[in-house]
Amino acid sequence: MTNEFKIRRMSTTEAGFDSELADLLNRRMIEEQSLSETVASILADVRQNGDSAVVAYTQKFDRRNDVSSMAQLTVTQAQLQAALAALPEDLSHALHLAAERIRRYHEHQKQPSWQYEEEDGSVYGQHVVALERVGIYVPGGKANYPSSVLMNAIPAKVAGVEQVIMVVPTPYQGDDGGEGQLIFAAAAVAGVDQVYTLGGAQAVGALAFGTETVPRVDKIVGPGNVFVTAAKKQVFGEVGIDMVAGPSELTVVCDGHTDPDWIAMDLFSQAEHDEQAQSILISPNAAFLDQVAASIARLLPKMERRNIIATSLRDRGALILVENDQQALDVCNQIAPEHLELSVADPQQWLPGVKHAGAIFLGRHTPEALGDYCAGPCHVLPTSGTARFFSPLGVYDFQKRSSIIQCSPEGAAALAPVAETLATNERLQAHALSAAWRIPGREKL
Amino acid sequence: MTNEFKIRRMSTTEAGFDSELADLLNRRMIEEQSLSETVASILADVRQNGDSAVVAYTQKFDRRNDVSSMAQLTVTQAQLQAALAALPEDLSHALHLAAERIRRYHEHQKQPSWQYEEEDGSVYGQHVVALERVGIYVPGGKANYPSSVLMNAIPAKVAGVEQVIMVVPTPYQGDDGGEGQLIFAAAAVAGVDQVYTLGGAQAVGALAFGTETVPRVDKIVGPGNVFVTAAKKQVFGEVGIDMVAGPSELTVVCDGHTDPDWIAMDLFSQAEHDEQAQSILISPNAAFLDQVAASIARLLPKMERRNIIATSLRDRGALILVENDQQALDVCNQIAPEHLELSVADPQQWLPGVKHAGAIFLGRHTPEALGDYCAGPCHVLPTSGTARFFSPLGVYDFQKRSSIIQCSPEGAAALAPVAETLATNERLQAHALSAAWRIPGREKL
């Protein structure tokens, strides 16, 4: 690690830019056949053997030889509250403030039932209700984030979910009680109803199928490692899932008038997550890119996680020179980043041009880190280009809809001939008659 | 087939009712390992070899030995328009009327972007945009439903999707030109942008990965057979999908005051789809159940699809006696049916008690068949109990959201200490600094 650190430089004017960008993004999700088979066998075992399978896999994969029953993996409400009570004042204050802001933002997402009446008295609409019981997966291990507890659980509670069941893998007791306690405190603040210290495919299986101890849920949300992601995909359909997660990414667009140190640190904040994380800066200002490159080289050696940051930036980072603002937007939409920072003079005027992004951070004073913790919007976001079709985790993920159709006698009589015509053409006689018999005076068979 | 046909009778007062109901519903989705492997190899082949793989599988699985190139599987806009122009007047009228009603209903589902400003000038919200390109899968073969074209494509178009690509398996040319033509006419009415006569896992692969001919889409919607369902699950994450489909179901709740012949025909309309379809009637009125049983026995021999109906009703149908209205609701919520008919006196007062249903048909004049064709709401609905967490296909499936966070300098300065505290605790120094440097006067490293 020296001041000579060089980050990849790219320019849209160079021949081969498109293919170089495609290589940089290179996010084809390859799921190993063997991984998929391992996960399938874990899920089948949990489905068949319940608690005993879950305990066995926890002993094996989480190296918890101290565990012999589900009771040891069950955290009581008293334990959650005790963790909260024992928290230092500053942390407790920060958690509560973050929780309150997250709650307030998500209240705006709650969708009501709606109906409207037609002239003939028929009523149409949708009946919107909360899911009954959901599971939230909170990563443990290296990525031990109490903020993730708030970001997953609070939107569910705002939606009105009765029972929020949280799983988190923890080799905490003994070696790292402090962080485990903060996770538990966050669960208390968020109002989580039940916590199990489980992880991996076995935790997903327990939530999807239910065991003697773990209640079966309707939907499982929250990111995890490759085993968790594969398991969520496999149980999808038996339960709902939120999205399929990959490595985290940040794309910054800057007009060249933000402090280059700020931008360098923003790029670092993404890169420090893990070696697979991706940080990209786009600017039409070549001199500014030079300044940020210099900031990166100067600041990197001072960072605690410099090795992770350096690997991430070297393997997956880039500073991209574009010719103008429209080209910056085009490259952004090509990337479809999880996080998009618009560090420009009038960011709102850029919004209509943004087609694909998980979260958009507007202006020089909105670093991604604020969104990660406490701004309000959820930090569970679509990664790896899936912002083309996925949305941030939100209240809408915890609500579901039923169509409402209420035909008046007049409405039914008006629609029935149309249905009869189409059903007859589809050779569905019972459909045709079921509709037609609602027409007054129509003879039966 | 005789008048002696007997449908299963059940009562909540009998011992063992709960386990009998569980057996009746028996919807554990078992996906054969061999099916999953076959689908995986088809998808890998299509990903690798594009058009040539798609053509080869179409020859093999759709028995289209006449086909040797993708050009033969590509339907032009001129062909779609010609099919529409050639349609008999009554069918054309019915299709247009259904399309117009579906469009009007779905306009109510369109969700706008939203923002709000906090006191310190910070702005929060969501930026809502349509998906760019989606694929709709329309079943062919036995289930050849032009109404499904309208129900899949129109919500996408209302959302603002630029390119709607439809696939439909067709051994039409030669043996059944008429029905194929109606599918094409429906595509013209719905404004579908491109049609390929493809089906099965190979069609899903073509849409998910793109080929030389078929453009890659962002999301694939619409129900298909077990191969299609397995393929959609496997490509999920590379593209979005709507839901995981199973056999179709209807649960009718009746207070005993609807014409029993109407109810019998409603049950038939579900059962005639296929042998796996499920029709259930719930009533607190035992005499009424007798009347419906008699109607079933009398009407069944007169039905064109009596063999399919009889098998479906015998294997999966039931008339269930309950003690009161609340118990009827409890059984309904246990079933979580795709279609729920509330054939009762004041159906709106039942709504708050309905927790899980794909679509709710209220009142005696709202047979499910009207919803299948032309009432307005989408007939692509969650099946097999997945109404616990899935919603009807809708405009929201074709829109996606990006979070908006725009901190004013004051807002950033207020939030940064909170983010710094939490990030420091999580040992993410770059996150902490990225936030803290936005505080005026804060020293850098």
Side-chain angles (χ1 to χ4, degrees):
Chain A
M1 191 67 44
T2 76
N3 280 352
E4 295 160 54
F5 182 83
K6 292 268 191 299
I7 185 167
R8 179 184 293 105
R9 298 289 289 266
M10 294 167 62
S11 166
T12 52
T13 58
E14 285 163 15
F17 172 79
D18 288 342
S19 72
E20 197 185 353
L21 180 63
D23 285 348
L24 181 70
L25 300 179
N26 178 30
R27 17 164 78 151
R28 183 173 144 197
M29 297 179 193
I30 298 180
E31 191 179 293
E32 300 288 341
Q33 183 66 19
S34 63
L35 170 70
S36 156
E37 285 167 12
T38 301
V39 166
S41 83
I42 294 171
L43 291 175
D45 193 4
V46 171
R47 193 201 285 268
Q48 182 81 35
N49 300 306
D51 282 351
S52 69
V54 170
V55 168
Y57 288 115
T58 302
Q59 291 170 342
K60 182 175 172 186
F61 294 126
D62 293 349
R63 287 161 301 182
R64 293 290 302 270
N65 290 322
D66 59 311
V67 167
S68 60
S69 80
M70 276 300 294
Q72 292 168 272
L73 300 171
T74 304
V75 186
T76 64
Q77 280 295 332
Q79 286 175 284
L80 301 183
Q81 294 300 331
L84 179 57
L87 220 56
E89 174 62 24
D90 63 331
L91 272 176
S92 174
H93 173 74
L95 269 188
H96 278 100
L97 190 139
E100 180 49 31
R101 290 195 58 87
I102 295 166
R103 188 172 291 116
R104 206 186 310 159
Y105 173 81
H106 283 88
E107 289 288 352
H108 291 266
Q109 290 183 345
K110 203 170 171 178
Q111 296 179 358
S113 297
W114 53 274
Q115 293 194 354
Y116 64 91
E117 192 174 325
E118 298 196 337
E119 283 182 15
D120 62 20
S122 299
V123 173
Y124 293 88
Q126 283 196 316
H127 177 59
V128 183
V129 295
L131 302 194
E132 279 190 2
R133 191 190 289 139
V134 304
I136 65 177
Y137 190 98
V138 173
K142 271 198 295 185
N144 171 23
Y145 301 145
S147 52
S148 291
V149 177
L150 306 183
M151 293 290 185
N152 279 278
I154 292 174
K157 280 295 174 187
V158 169
V161 172
E162 284 169 35
Q163 233 185 326
V164 175
I165 315 279
M166 173 176 134
V167 294
V168 57
T170 55
Y172 294 136
Q173 287 90 334
D175 60 352
D176 198 356
E179 294 186 20
Q181 292 305 305
L182 190 55
I183 292 274
F184 296 158
V189 169
V192 169
D193 297 284
Q194 180 62 56
V195 177
Y196 300 101
T197 52
L198 294 175
Q202 60 273 21
V204 173
L207 292 169
F209 312 133
T211 70
E212 301 90 318
T213 302
V214 181
R216 182 185 166 165
V217 303
D218 297 316
K219 188 168 186 171
I220 301 173
V221 305
N225 63 19
V226 289
F227 288 92
V228 172
T229 301
K232 281 172 67 181
K233 261 187 79 168
Q234 290 188 23
V235 300
F236 181 53
E238 299 208 49
V239 296
I241 68 172
D242 54 340
M243 55 184 111
V244 178
S248 196
E249 315 146 313
L250 168 67
T251 294
V252 180
V253 175
C254 187
D255 54 13
H257 300 288
T258 306
D259 183 330
D261 284 356
W262 290 10
I263 299 296
M265 196 54 69
D266 296 350
L267 297 173
F268 287 179
S269 76
Q270 185 61 42
E272 75 176 342
H273 275 294
D274 64 70
E275 292 85 351
Q276 301 305 310
Q278 182 158 54
S279 299
I280 293 173
L281 169 62
I282 300 171
S283 179
N285 185 328
F288 180 71
L289 293 180
D290 291 339
Q291 291 169 23
V292 174
S295 291
I296 288 173
R298 194 184 81 252
L299 294 168
L300 183 54
K302 305 181 184 178
M303 302 305 298
E304 291 166 10
R305 296 167 76 95
R306 56 188 169 274
N307 291 326
I308 294 173
I309 295 171
T311 304
S312 163
L313 290 184
R314 187 187 61 234
D315 292 351
R316 309 206 66 213
L319 310 185
I320 301 178
L321 180 67
V322 292
E323 296 179 282
N324 52 50
D325 292 356
Q326 183 54 51
Q327 213 170 55
L329 271 173
D330 292 345
V331 174
C332 280
N333 286 327
Q334 186 77 14
I335 296 171
E338 181 189 8
H339 307 98
L340 173 62
E341 230 178 85
L342 297 174
S343 203
V344 297
D346 184 3
Q348 284 278 344
Q349 80 175 10
W350 287 62
L351 261 192
V354 177
K355 291 184 179 177
H356 312 297
I360 310 169
F361 300 79
L362 293 90
R364 310 190 200 285
H365 286 81
T366 316
E368 185 217 315
L370 293 181
D372 281 348
Y373 292 107
C374 53
C378 191
H379 75 198
V380 181
L381 295 167
T383 55
S384 304
T386 61
R388 292 187 66 85
F389 48 87
F390 284 138
S391 297
L393 185 69
V395 173
Y396 34 78
D397 281 298
F398 301 105
Q399 293 184 305
K400 66 196 176 65
R401 307 171 181 88
S402 306
S403 304
I404 292 172
I405 310 181
Q406 179 171 16
C407 293
S408 65
E410 298 72 29
L415 292 178
V418 178
E420 187 181 15
T421 298
L422 292 168
T424 301
N425 179 274
E426 291 182 1
R427 298 179 193 163
L428 294 175
Q429 181 200 18
H431 282 69
L433 293 178
S434 167
W437 286 0
R438 264 75 176 191
I439 303 173
R442 177 65 73 104
E443 270 184 38
K444 293 196 193 157
L445 277 185
Chain B
M1 191 64 45
T2 77
N3 279 353
E4 294 159 56
F5 182 83
K6 293 267 190 299
I7 185 167
R8 180 185 292 106
R9 298 289 287 266
M10 295 166 62
S11 167
T12 53
T13 58
E14 284 163 14
F17 172 79
D18 288 344
S19 71
E20 198 185 350
L21 180 62
D23 285 349
L24 180 71
L25 301 179
N26 179 31
R27 24 174 66 150
R28 183 175 143 197
M29 297 181 193
I30 299 180
E31 193 178 290
E32 299 288 340
Q33 183 66 20
S34 64
L35 170 70
S36 158
E37 285 167 12
T38 301
V39 166
S41 82
I42 294 171
L43 291 175
D45 194 4
V46 171
R47 193 201 286 269
Q48 182 80 35
N49 300 307
D51 282 350
S52 68
V54 171
V55 168
Y57 288 115
T58 302
Q59 291 170 342
K60 182 176 172 187
F61 294 126
D62 293 350
R63 286 161 302 180
R64 293 290 303 269
N65 290 321
D66 58 311
V67 167
S68 59
S69 80
M70 276 301 293
Q72 292 169 272
L73 300 171
T74 304
V75 185
T76 64
Q77 281 294 333
Q79 286 175 286
L80 301 183
Q81 294 300 332
L84 180 57
L87 220 54
E89 174 62 24
D90 63 331
L91 272 175
S92 173
H93 173 74
L95 269 187
H96 278 100
L97 191 142
E100 180 50 32
R101 290 195 59 88
I102 295 166
R103 187 171 291 116
R104 207 186 310 159
Y105 173 81
H106 284 89
E107 288 287 351
H108 291 265
Q109 291 183 344
K110 203 169 171 178
Q111 296 178 0
S113 297
W114 52 274
Q115 293 193 354
Y116 64 92
E117 192 173 325
E118 297 195 335
E119 284 181 14
D120 62 20
S122 298
V123 173
Y124 293 87
Q126 283 197 316
H127 177 59
V128 183
V129 296
L131 302 193
E132 279 190 3
R133 192 188 292 137
V134 303
I136 64 176
Y137 190 98
V138 173
K142 271 198 294 186
N144 170 23
Y145 302 144
S147 51
S148 292
V149 177
L150 306 182
M151 293 289 185
N152 279 278
I154 293 174
K157 280 294 172 187
V158 169
V161 172
E162 284 169 35
Q163 233 185 326
V164 175
I165 316 279
M166 173 176 135
V167 294
V168 57
T170 55
Y172 294 136
Q173 288 89 332
D175 60 351
D176 198 357
E179 294 185 20
Q181 292 305 306
L182 190 54
I183 292 275
F184 296 158
V189 169
V192 169
D193 298 285
Q194 180 63 54
V195 176
Y196 301 101
T197 52
L198 296 174
Q202 60 274 18
V204 173
L207 292 169
F209 313 133
T211 70
E212 301 90 319
T213 303
V214 181
R216 183 185 166 166
V217 302
D218 297 316
K219 187 167 187 171
I220 302 173
V221 305
N225 64 19
V226 289
F227 288 91
V228 172
T229 302
K232 281 172 66 183
K233 261 187 80 168
Q234 290 188 22
V235 301
F236 181 52
E238 298 207 46
V239 295
I241 68 172
D242 54 341
M243 54 184 113
V244 179
S248 196
E249 317 145 313
L250 168 67
T251 295
V252 180
V253 175
C254 186
D255 55 13
H257 300 289
T258 307
D259 184 331
D261 284 356
W262 290 11
I263 300 296
M265 195 55 67
D266 296 351
L267 297 173
F268 287 179
S269 76
Q270 186 60 43
E272 75 176 343
H273 276 294
D274 64 71
E275 292 84 350
Q276 302 304 311
Q278 183 159 54
S279 299
I280 293 173
L281 169 62
I282 300 171
S283 179
N285 185 328
F288 180 71
L289 293 180
D290 292 339
Q291 291 168 23
V292 174
S295 291
I296 289 174
R298 194 184 80 250
L299 293 167
L300 183 54
K302 303 182 184 178
M303 302 305 298
E304 290 166 10
R305 295 166 77 95
R306 55 187 170 274
N307 291 326
I308 294 172
I309 296 171
T311 303
S312 163
L313 291 184
R314 187 186 61 235
D315 292 352
R316 308 206 66 214
L319 310 185
I320 301 179
L321 180 67
V322 292
E323 295 178 282
N324 52 49
D325 292 355
Q326 184 54 53
Q327 215 171 53
L329 271 173
D330 292 345
V331 175
C332 280
N333 286 327
Q334 186 76 15
I335 297 171
E338 180 189 10
H339 307 98
L340 173 61
E341 229 177 87
L342 296 173
S343 203
V344 297
D346 185 3
Q348 284 278 343
Q349 79 174 12
W350 287 62
L351 262 191
V354 177
K355 290 186 180 175
H356 313 297
I360 309 169
F361 300 80
L362 294 89
R364 309 189 200 286
H365 287 81
T366 316
E368 185 218 314
L370 293 181
D372 282 348
Y373 292 106
C374 54
C378 191
H379 75 199
V380 181
L381 296 166
T383 55
S384 304
T386 61
R388 293 187 66 87
F389 48 87
F390 284 139
S391 296
L393 185 70
V395 173
Y396 35 79
D397 282 298
F398 302 105
Q399 294 185 304
K400 65 196 177 65
R401 308 169 180 87
S402 305
S403 304
I404 292 172
I405 311 181
Q406 180 170 15
C407 293
S408 66
E410 298 72 26
L415 291 179
V418 178
E420 188 181 16
T421 298
L422 291 169
T424 301
N425 178 275
E426 292 182 0
R427 299 178 191 164
L428 294 175
Q429 180 200 21
H431 282 69
L433 293 177
S434 167
W437 287 358
R438 264 74 177 192
I439 303 173
R442 177 64 73 102
E443 270 186 35
K444 292 198 192 153
L445 277 186

PDB file of all heavy atoms in Angstrom, chain A residues 308-319:
ATOM      1  N   ILE A 308      -9.129  -4.127   2.049  1.00  0.00           N
ATOM      2  CA  ILE A 308     -10.394  -4.440   1.372  1.00  0.00           C
ATOM      3  C   ILE A 308     -10.702  -3.363   0.330  1.00  0.00           C
ATOM      4  O   ILE A 308     -11.041  -3.665  -0.817  1.00  0.00           O
ATOM      5  CB  ILE A 308     -11.554  -4.526   2.393  1.00  0.00           C
ATOM      6  CG1 ILE A 308     -11.343  -5.722   3.328  1.00  0.00           C
ATOM      7  CG2 ILE A 308     -12.893  -4.641   1.674  1.00  0.00           C
ATOM      8  CD1 ILE A 308     -12.343  -5.791   4.473  1.00  0.00           C
ATOM      9  N   ILE A 309     -10.537  -2.095   0.725  1.00  0.00           N
ATOM     10  CA  ILE A 309     -10.833  -0.991  -0.193  1.00  0.00           C
ATOM     11  C   ILE A 309      -9.948  -1.069  -1.435  1.00  0.00           C
ATOM     12  O   ILE A 309     -10.433  -0.937  -2.572  1.00  0.00           O
ATOM     13  CB  ILE A 309     -10.617   0.375   0.516  1.00  0.00           C
ATOM     14  CG1 ILE A 309     -11.632   0.547   1.657  1.00  0.00           C
ATOM     15  CG2 ILE A 309     -10.747   1.528  -0.482  1.00  0.00           C
ATOM     16  CD1 ILE A 309     -11.368   1.766   2.549  1.00  0.00           C
ATOM     17  N   ALA A 310      -8.655  -1.335  -1.234  1.00  0.00           N
ATOM     18  CA  ALA A 310      -7.729  -1.371  -2.367  1.00  0.00           C
ATOM     19  C   ALA A 310      -8.094  -2.506  -3.326  1.00  0.00           C
ATOM     20  O   ALA A 310      -8.096  -2.324  -4.558  1.00  0.00           O
ATOM     21  CB  ALA A 310      -6.288  -1.538  -1.867  1.00  0.00           C
ATOM     22  N   THR A 311      -8.420  -3.655  -2.787  1.00  0.00           N
ATOM     23  CA  THR A 311      -8.789  -4.789  -3.647  1.00  0.00           C
ATOM     24  C   THR A 311     -10.060  -4.484  -4.429  1.00  0.00           C
ATOM     25  O   THR A 311     -10.143  -4.712  -5.642  1.00  0.00           O
ATOM     26  CB  THR A 311      -9.005  -6.063  -2.796  1.00  0.00           C
ATOM     27  OG1 THR A 311      -7.815  -6.306  -2.047  1.00  0.00           O
ATOM     28  CG2 THR A 311      -9.314  -7.255  -3.678  1.00  0.00           C
ATOM     29  N   SER A 312     -11.039  -3.943  -3.727  1.00  0.00           N
ATOM     30  CA  SER A 312     -12.304  -3.604  -4.383  1.00  0.00           C
ATOM     31  C   SER A 312     -12.089  -2.584  -5.495  1.00  0.00           C
ATOM     32  O   SER A 312     -12.569  -2.753  -6.625  1.00  0.00           O
ATOM     33  CB  SER A 312     -13.291  -3.064  -3.343  1.00  0.00           C
ATOM     34  OG  SER A 312     -14.350  -2.382  -3.969  1.00  0.00           O
ATOM     35  N   LEU A 313     -11.355  -1.513  -5.184  1.00  0.00           N
ATOM     36  CA  LEU A 313     -11.149  -0.456  -6.187  1.00  0.00           C
ATOM     37  C   LEU A 313     -10.307  -0.968  -7.362  1.00  0.00           C
ATOM     38  O   LEU A 313     -10.562  -0.616  -8.518  1.00  0.00           O
ATOM     39  CB  LEU A 313     -10.472   0.766  -5.565  1.00  0.00           C
ATOM     40  CG  LEU A 313     -11.312   1.590  -4.574  1.00  0.00           C
ATOM     41  CD1 LEU A 313     -10.523   2.821  -4.130  1.00  0.00           C
ATOM     42  CD2 LEU A 313     -12.643   2.019  -5.186  1.00  0.00           C
ATOM     43  N   ARG A 314      -9.301  -1.782  -7.053  1.00  0.00           N
ATOM     44  CA  ARG A 314      -8.435  -2.275  -8.125  1.00  0.00           C
ATOM     45  C   ARG A 314      -9.210  -3.231  -9.047  1.00  0.00           C
ATOM     46  O   ARG A 314      -9.149  -3.138 -10.271  1.00  0.00           O
ATOM     47  CB  ARG A 314      -7.234  -3.005  -7.523  1.00  0.00           C
ATOM     48  CG  ARG A 314      -6.189  -3.421  -8.553  1.00  0.00           C
ATOM     49  CD  ARG A 314      -5.107  -4.278  -7.922  1.00  0.00           C
ATOM     50  NE  ARG A 314      -5.684  -5.495  -7.379  1.00  0.00           N
ATOM     51  CZ  ARG A 314      -5.528  -5.917  -6.118  1.00  0.00           C
ATOM     52  NH1 ARG A 314      -4.777  -5.243  -5.277  1.00  0.00           N
ATOM     53  NH2 ARG A 314      -6.110  -7.039  -5.712  1.00  0.00           N
ATOM     54  N   ASP A 315      -9.984  -4.144  -8.446  1.00  0.00           N
ATOM     55  CA  ASP A 315     -10.657  -5.162  -9.259  1.00  0.00           C
ATOM     56  C   ASP A 315     -11.924  -4.652  -9.919  1.00  0.00           C
ATOM     57  O   ASP A 315     -12.271  -5.071 -11.016  1.00  0.00           O
ATOM     58  CB  ASP A 315     -11.031  -6.373  -8.391  1.00  0.00           C
ATOM     59  CG  ASP A 315      -9.811  -7.133  -7.912  1.00  0.00           C
ATOM     60  OD1 ASP A 315      -8.699  -6.831  -8.394  1.00  0.00           O
ATOM     61  OD2 ASP A 315      -9.985  -8.017  -7.050  1.00  0.00           O
ATOM     62  N   ARG A 316     -12.638  -3.754  -9.253  1.00  0.00           N
ATOM     63  CA  ARG A 316     -13.976  -3.432  -9.730  1.00  0.00           C
ATOM     64  C   ARG A 316     -14.253  -1.931  -9.827  1.00  0.00           C
ATOM     65  O   ARG A 316     -15.312  -1.525 -10.283  1.00  0.00           O
ATOM     66  CB  ARG A 316     -15.036  -4.113  -8.842  1.00  0.00           C
ATOM     67  CG  ARG A 316     -14.790  -5.622  -8.648  1.00  0.00           C
ATOM     68  CD  ARG A 316     -16.072  -6.364  -8.358  1.00  0.00           C
ATOM     69  NE  ARG A 316     -16.970  -6.336  -9.502  1.00  0.00           N
ATOM     70  CZ  ARG A 316     -18.304  -6.305  -9.424  1.00  0.00           C
ATOM     71  NH1 ARG A 316     -18.886  -6.289  -8.255  1.00  0.00           N
ATOM     72  NH2 ARG A 316     -19.042  -6.287 -10.508  1.00  0.00           N
ATOM     73  N   GLY A 317     -13.343  -1.099  -9.383  1.00  0.00           N
ATOM     74  CA  GLY A 317     -13.575   0.340  -9.405  1.00  0.00           C
ATOM     75  C   GLY A 317     -13.177   0.977 -10.732  1.00  0.00           C
ATOM     76  O   GLY A 317     -12.453   0.370 -11.526  1.00  0.00           O
ATOM     77  N   ALA A 318     -13.653   2.201 -10.969  1.00  0.00           N
ATOM     78  CA  ALA A 318     -13.267   2.928 -12.193  1.00  0.00           C
ATOM     79  C   ALA A 318     -13.646   4.396 -12.070  1.00  0.00           C
ATOM     80  O   ALA A 318     -14.642   4.742 -11.409  1.00  0.00           O
ATOM     81  CB  ALA A 318     -13.947   2.326 -13.414  1.00  0.00           C
ATOM     82  N   LEU A 319     -12.834   5.260 -12.701  1.00  0.00           N
ATOM     83  CA  LEU A 319     -13.195   6.665 -12.905  1.00  0.00           C
ATOM     84  C   LEU A 319     -13.459   6.808 -14.402  1.00  0.00           C
ATOM     85  O   LEU A 319     -12.579   6.519 -15.216  1.00  0.00           O
ATOM     86  CB  LEU A 319     -12.060   7.599 -12.476  1.00  0.00           C
ATOM     87  CG  LEU A 319     -11.460   7.366 -11.082  1.00  0.00           C
ATOM     88  CD1 LEU A 319     -10.431   8.473 -10.761  1.00  0.00           C
ATOM     89  CD2 LEU A 319     -12.547   7.342 -10.001  1.00  0.00           C
TER      90      LEU A 319
END
